[in-house]
């Protein structure tokens, strides 16, 4: 059954939720973890978002990512398969409030790099963040029960921001 694309106003408790999730993931996945990053809209102060904490976990190699998959499932995360590129695996925890979506990424993942560039640019450029929020709110109405359509409709905006951010750094 399709889920409603629900956006809620920014919640100042989201960074604290991320820290607790990160601590639990460090305990679960151990010393192989290189970094744990808060990504997605809940990582951007003031931005409306789905009530879900998105997290990238960076591991040294694809082999480490594959090994971590079973640990995630044992810990109660629902496997969501390969996402965005062949070496990134997604997991959900729906029973928590807010929900959790965890991505296991090998070091050097382009998917992860793009997410960090996008997040950091929106934090540094409130006008772009506001434009993204307006787009998301409009698309949440248009694609109310089509999460894939909602995500696909944001893709060109996200790509343009990433391209702009990378051009500014050069």
């Amino acid at each position: 059954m399709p889920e409603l694309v629900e956006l809620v106003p920014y919640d100042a408790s989201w960074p604290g939720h991320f820290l607790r999730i990160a601590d639990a993931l460090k305990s679960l996945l151990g010393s192989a973890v290189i970094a744990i990053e808060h990504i997605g809209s809940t990582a951007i102060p003031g931005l409306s978002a789905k009530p879900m904490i998105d997290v990238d976990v960076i591991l040294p190699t694809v082999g480490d990512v594959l090994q971590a998959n079973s640990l995630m499932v044992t810990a109660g995360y629902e496997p969501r398969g390969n996402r965005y590129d062949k070496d990134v695996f997604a997991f959900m925890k729906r029973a928590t409030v807010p929900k959790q979506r965890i991505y296991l990424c090998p070091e050097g993942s382009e998917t992860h790099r793009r997410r960090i560039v996008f997040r950091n640019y929106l934090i540094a450029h409130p006008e772009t963040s506001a434009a993204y929020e307006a787009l998301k709110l409009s698309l949440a109405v248009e694609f109310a029960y089509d999460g894939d359509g909602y995500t696909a409709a944001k893709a060109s905006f996200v790509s343009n921001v990433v391209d702009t951010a990378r051009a500014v750094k050069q």
Side-chain angles (χ1 to χ4, degrees):
M1 177 174 213
E3 287 185 40
L4 176 66
V5 176
E6 175 192 18
L7 298 179
V8 298
Y10 180 78
D11 185 333
S13 71
W14 287 338
H17 286 292
F18 163 73
L19 292 174
R20 286 187 287 286
I21 293 166
D23 285 344
L25 289 168
K26 283 178 198 168
S27 293
L28 175 66
L29 301 174
S31 62
V33 172
I34 293 172
I36 299 178
E37 297 269 2
H38 189 183
I39 58 162
S41 294
T42 61
I44 301 160
L47 187 62
S48 295
K50 294 179 186 175
M52 179 182 317
I53 307 298
D54 288 306
V55 177
D56 273 1
V57 178
I58 309 307
L59 298 164
T61 68
V62 175
D64 293 306
V65 168
L66 294 173
Q67 267 189 308
N69 282 346
S70 62
L71 294 171
M72 295 294 289
V73 171
T74 300
Y77 286 89
E78 169 193 343
R80 305 286 291 151
N82 288 102
R83 299 292 170 136
Y84 306 104
D85 64 40
K86 63 182 170 73
D87 299 330
V88 174
F89 288 81
F91 296 85
M92 289 282 296
K93 221 178 213 185
R94 297 173 192 277
T96 60
V97 177
K99 296 175 189 172
Q100 301 174 34
R101 184 168 39 204
I102 312 301
Y103 297 94
L104 302 181
C105 308
E107 187 172 26
S109 164
E110 177 61 15
T111 296
H112 171 68
R113 284 195 292 255
R114 288 177 57 82
R115 290 177 178 155
I116 298 305
V117 166
F118 183 71
R119 178 198 68 192
N120 292 348
Y121 192 87
L122 289 189
I123 289 171
H125 297 86
E127 69 287 350
T128 305
S129 182
Y132 184 55
E133 181 174 55
L135 173 65
K136 287 172 27 142
L137 292 169
S138 169
L139 294 175
V141 173
E142 183 178 348
F143 296 96
Y145 287 93
D146 180 4
D148 289 340
Y150 168 81
T151 299
K154 297 185 305 177
S156 69
F157 183 95
V158 172
S159 288
N160 288 337
V161 169
V162 169
D163 291 346
T164 298
R166 286 180 168 168
V168 169
K169 287 198 170 206
Q170 294 178 3

